[in-house]
Amino acid sequence: MATLAERKEYLENELRSYRYIVDQCYRWEQVIVNAEIAIYGVSSPHAKDVIYENAGDPYDCRYNSLYEDIKKAKAQLLIWRPRRQWIEDRLEVLSQEEYQVIKYYYMLKQSQDWIADVLQIGRRTVQRRIDKAIEKMLNF
C-alpha cells in the first residue's frame, strides 16, 4: 500500500499530465476513425469531382495495415482511457472554486500569484483551496 505522500505525488503528476493524457486519447481515437474511413468509406458522397492524378495504385490493398493500425490504437486506448477516467472521477468531487484552482495550477501550470490575481482572492486562499481539493481527491 502506498503512503499518503506517494499517493499525493502520483495524483499531482497525473493532474499535470491530464492535458497530455486527453490528447493521447483523442490521437488514438482519430487513428481508429481514419482507418475505418479508409476501410469502409464515408456515408455521404464527396462534393468535389474525382481527381485521379497522383492517386496511387487503386488496386493496392492496405486493409491489413489499416487493421493493424486499429489494433494498435485500441491497445493504446486501453492504457490512456483508464488514466483519463481516473483523473476525471476525482475532479468530479470538487466544488467549482476548487476545480478552478486545480485547473489553473496543475493543468495550465500557472503560479499561485497569477491565480490569486485572476480569481481576485488571496494567495493563502489559493493554497488552502489547492490543499483542500487534493485532500478531497485523495479521499475519493
Side-chain angles (χ1 to χ4, degrees):
M1 183 84 180
T3 66
L4 181 62
E6 291 170 340
R7 290 176 42 226
K8 181 180 178 185
E9 181 180 356
Y10 178 77
L11 174 62
E12 289 175 336
N13 288 335
E14 287 296 285
L15 289 170
R16 286 184 189 101
S17 303
Y18 180 68
R19 291 181 65 176
Y20 179 76
I21 293 167
V22 169
D23 289 344
Q24 288 299 309
C25 288
Y26 287 143
R27 174 184 170 208
W28 293 110
E29 289 166 355
Q30 194 61 46
V31 167
I32 292 172
V33 168
N34 291 341
E36 287 176 347
I37 288 173
I39 292 170
Y40 304 113
V42 291
S43 61
S44 61
H46 204 301
K48 296 181 182 177
D49 292 333
V50 176
I51 299 174
Y52 290 104
E53 64 184 73
N54 299 328
D57 184 3
Y59 301 105
D60 182 24
C61 181
R62 295 184 33 226
Y63 292 131
N64 289 338
S65 67
L66 292 171
Y67 286 123
E68 285 298 317
D69 290 347
I70 291 172
K71 184 179 175 182
K72 179 181 176 185
K74 286 182 178 180
Q76 288 295 317
L77 283 174
L78 287 175
I79 296 169
W80 295 106
R81 275 187 183 153
R83 288 179 69 185
R84 179 181 180 179
Q85 190 61 48
W86 187 85
I87 297 167
E88 289 174 353
D89 288 344
R90 276 140 188 85
L91 290 173
E92 287 177 2
V93 302
L94 302 179
S95 68
Q96 183 65 29
E97 294 83 15
E98 293 165 343
Y99 176 76
Q100 280 181 322
V101 295
I102 291 295
K103 179 179 75 172
Y104 288 145
Y105 189 67
Y106 289 106
M107 297 172 199
L108 300 179
K109 298 174 176 62
Q110 298 297 330
S111 70
Q112 290 184 10
D113 292 328
W114 184 89
I115 297 168
D117 289 342
V118 167
L119 298 178
Q120 297 180 348
I121 57 177
R123 187 181 181 288
R124 293 187 67 196
T125 304
V126 171
Q127 183 60 50
R128 280 195 306 271
R129 285 185 186 174
I130 290 171
D131 292 341
K132 184 179 176 186
I134 293 293
E135 184 179 333
K136 268 185 167 179
M137 289 188 284
L138 286 173
N139 294 329
F140 173 74

